Amino acid sequence: MGAAMVVATLLLTGCATADIQPASVYEVPPESPTAEPGTTVSAGASADALSPEPPAPSASMSPLLEPGPSPSGVTASTDPVCDVTEILEPSCGVWWGVSPYRNNVAGLERAAGRPMDIVYTWHGIDQRNFPTAKERAFANEGRYLHVNVEARRFDQNGHPPLRYRQITRGQFDGPLRAQARQIADLGLPVFVTFDHEADANKRYNTRGTPDQFVQAWQHVVDVYRDYGADNAIFVWNVTGYPGNFARLPGLWPGNDYVDWISWEAYNMTGCPHQPRWKHVQSFEEAMAPMYEWIQEQGPRHGIDPDKPVMIGEAGTVPIPGNPRATQEWYAEIPDVLRKYERVRAVKFWDNTLGPTCDFRLLNNRYARAGFVQAGQDEYVNLPEQAREAVNSALSMLDQFELRY
């Protein structure tokens, strides 16, 4: 039964110097480095090549967590009542997720000593058969799915893009109906995004006008709802780049068509795909401008600032000249999140575009150490009872439907 009918209220135990200097987040318009499934990317340099011997620990740095088995649990303090709403928004703590390299979520979980709450995957709007068997396994093992449905033909070589008006006119209603039925059949909440980062230069006004994007988004949602996918939770995702803020009002589908708001938080120092990116941008510097824009400017554009926020993709390349800064980039994330109460989920993009543009969390000892350190923080470890309560509520609603 659908997540749109689930409200779970829980008593939970735990709620869970380089030459390159920080610079303004307004300097470089970051396009997401996301590679679509099936894209061939370089394997990158080895971990040893990317990671020189670490310097001696200083008082200001956390100790490096060496590769190897991590603690299997987190010591959490007692916390008051915590709610998990019908759209999977926790009232305390943050869901922790990843878009895993080659779908290897198990390796990340072994390294982190904890499960991922969300697994992020990509599909084309022309594809009928998802969630796939692999995605169903992810979900049945206790993770939530986040599926990005691209305005592309994934069943064709090269994944060619299509026009938004083709979607609105119903050309892909057959696949959309099939998707909706299979998501409904999964019986678990599923986060769904249509055509992420519609404000990016490579998408904006290329597949259609902003108004046509909105119409296509609403059409996708309407078809899903009409064909039983009440468990779909709709996540509107943009780049989060301040230079694109003026584009966002025209891309907003409306509060009735969006459950979560999402954007990216990257550092790409030295990445050849961003040749002007010479500075280091912290997680907070990457994340905060969009957060502040939503809170301050959102209402005048009809955007509800109380909607929960998901950082859809996050990560840093190995920071040149200061490898331990890579560890700190990740390690500081939980403390940053505590300052931004609407952020209720974070996902990392675990992939590579080449040796100097590598976001893989296990390919660099410092990235791995910071990721492990952050993932053990109690703020990003919602107790298992949270997921169990949601599943229990879904089961009860299924039984209610069968009776009545």
Side-chain angles (χ1 to χ4, degrees):
M1 182 55 204
M5 309 216 19
V6 180
V7 180
T9 304
L10 317 168
L11 274 174
L12 303 180
T13 304
C15 204
T17 51
D19 292 331
I20 300 171
Q21 298 297 323
S24 169
V25 295
Y26 294 85
E27 288 188 11
V28 181
E31 296 281 0
S32 168
T34 306
E36 295 171 1
T39 302
T40 301
V41 293
S42 167
S46 68
D48 290 339
L50 290 172
S51 306
E53 281 301 306
S58 67
S60 63
M61 290 288 187
S62 303
L64 179 70
L65 302 179
E66 295 293 342
S70 303
S72 59
V74 177
T75 302
S77 59
T78 302
D79 196 86
V81 172
C82 180
D83 298 331
V84 179
T85 71
E86 59 188 8
I87 56 170
L88 288 187
E89 178 190 357
S91 64
C92 65
V94 171
W95 300 117
W96 199 243
V98 68
S99 179
Y101 182 60
R102 295 179 178 173
N103 283 329
N104 182 19
V105 69
L108 287 166
E109 291 177 337
R110 282 195 299 271
R114 56 159 295 167
M116 295 295 105
D117 299 316
I118 305 173
V119 177
Y120 193 21
T121 61
W122 277 261
H123 289 282
I125 200 164
D126 60 332
Q127 292 183 303
R128 294 174 176 268
N129 297 318
F130 72 80
T132 63
K134 182 73 170 179
E135 289 165 335
R136 287 178 178 275
F138 287 153
N140 290 332
E141 290 165 0
R143 311 171 190 93
Y144 295 118
L145 296 178
H146 184 182
V147 178
N148 178 49
V149 182
E150 284 280 288
R152 289 179 175 268
R153 298 177 184 269
F154 270 41
D155 284 342
Q156 294 184 10
N157 291 335
H159 301 167
L162 49 89
R163 306 291 292 179
Y164 292 137
R165 63 174 177 264
Q166 295 175 263
I167 298 167
T168 308
R169 291 172 180 171
Q171 184 173 334
F172 294 91
D173 281 6
L176 286 172
R177 289 192 291 265
Q179 296 164 18
R181 292 187 183 107
Q182 290 181 76
I183 287 173
D185 287 346
L186 183 64
L188 297 168
V190 176
F191 295 108
V192 177
T193 293
F194 169 67
D195 219 33
H196 83 313
E197 296 182 357
D199 62 318
N201 289 339
K202 62 186 176 183
R203 288 184 174 84
Y204 189 74
N205 270 330
T206 63
R207 301 175 183 180
T209 66
D211 187 57
Q212 288 170 340
F213 166 79
V214 168
Q215 292 172 19
W217 176 288
Q218 293 175 347
H219 185 81
V220 170
V221 173
D222 286 341
V223 172
Y224 269 47
R225 289 173 174 169
D226 288 346
Y227 285 84
D230 296 326
N231 52 329
I233 301 168
F234 295 99
V235 183
W236 182 68
N237 173 268
V238 293
T239 64
Y241 167 56
N244 289 349
F245 287 173
R247 298 175 174 180
L248 302 184
L251 296 168
W252 177 246
N255 290 319
D256 291 342
Y257 284 89
V258 174
D259 297 309
W260 288 62
I261 297 172
S262 175
W263 61 90
E264 329 297 27
Y266 279 112
N267 177 60
M268 305 184 203
T269 313
C271 178
H273 297 270
Q274 291 289 344
R276 293 171 50 214
W277 198 303
K278 306 298 184 184
H279 59 289
V280 174
Q281 181 168 272
S282 71
F283 173 81
E284 184 170 14
E285 288 171 329
M287 182 270 293
M290 178 71 180
Y291 186 97
E292 294 164 359
W293 187 88
I294 291 290
Q295 294 301 308
E296 296 170 6
Q297 302 298 322
R300 64 187 289 241
H301 300 296
I303 301 173
D304 181 0
D306 290 329
K307 287 189 180 292
V309 168
M310 177 184 296
I311 303 306
E313 301 171 25
T316 181
V317 298
I319 296 174
N322 189 355
R324 196 172 288 276
T326 304
Q327 176 182 347
E328 291 299 307
W329 195 95
Y330 289 101
E332 71 182 9
I333 289 176
D335 283 340
V336 170
L337 295 174
R338 287 179 169 91
K339 297 159 57 177
Y340 298 87
E341 64 177 9
R342 299 310 304 136
V343 180
R344 292 303 182 189
V346 173
K347 305 192 311 297
F348 298 93
W349 191 69
D350 178 49
N351 217 314
T352 178
L353 297 177
T356 58
C357 199
D358 195 338
F359 297 87
R360 286 175 296 176
L361 294 160
L362 303 184
N363 202 52
N364 177 280
R365 64 188 302 189
Y366 295 93
R368 173 178 175 153
F371 174 68
V372 171
Q373 185 176 340
Q376 294 299 309
D377 192 289
E378 65 180 9
Y379 192 69
V380 300
N381 277 268
L382 273 71
E384 183 62 27
Q385 294 98 310
R387 186 178 291 103
E388 290 173 351
V390 173
N391 293 340
S392 176
L394 287 166
S395 176
M396 290 174 62
L397 286 167
D398 282 343
Q399 293 175 15
F400 181 87
E401 274 205 338
L402 288 173
R403 286 183 61 189
Y404 300 98

